[in-house]
Amino acid sequence: MVVPQPEGLISVLLDRAARIDERDDAAMDLEAYSGEHLVKALVEVAGSPVEDELVLDSAAESLGRILARDGGCPEGLLVSLRPDAKRIVEEVLRASRQVE
């Protein structure tokens, strides 16, 4: 059975039993999509106090790129992120403004 994207990527990202490299790839691949449900999944990962650093960094970077592309950061979203993830999202958002 083929799972349509981005739902398949979200399920891999949120599956703590999946391999780290698979979850990392899913986090990076989600950047190509839009939607509140995938932003929610990336925020969940980027806010987790027990998340693997590699997956966290990729989730935060993808989140930043999605927010930059799709119109900015909703009020209050950054407060739910870990400090290191928040820094990554803010850096991506700042960098996107310099390119525009």
Side-chain angles (χ1 to χ4, degrees), residues 14-78:
L14 298 178
D15 182 0
R16 305 251 336 137
R19 293 189 342 241
I20 295 299
D21 64 315
E22 293 173 332
R23 295 182 67 226
D24 182 57
D25 287 346
M28 290 187 293
D29 291 347
L30 281 170
E31 178 186 327
Y33 300 92
S34 295
E36 188 174 319
H37 62 297
L38 70 95
V39 168
K40 182 180 175 185
L42 291 166
V43 167
E44 180 179 330
V45 169
S48 171
V50 296
E51 189 56 72
D52 177 84
E53 190 173 327
L54 180 66
V55 176
L56 176 113
D57 289 354
S58 294
E61 188 170 338
S62 288
L63 178 61
R65 290 185 178 168
I66 290 166
L67 295 174
R69 179 190 67 223
D70 293 352
C73 188
E75 180 101 16
L77 183 128
L78 294 180

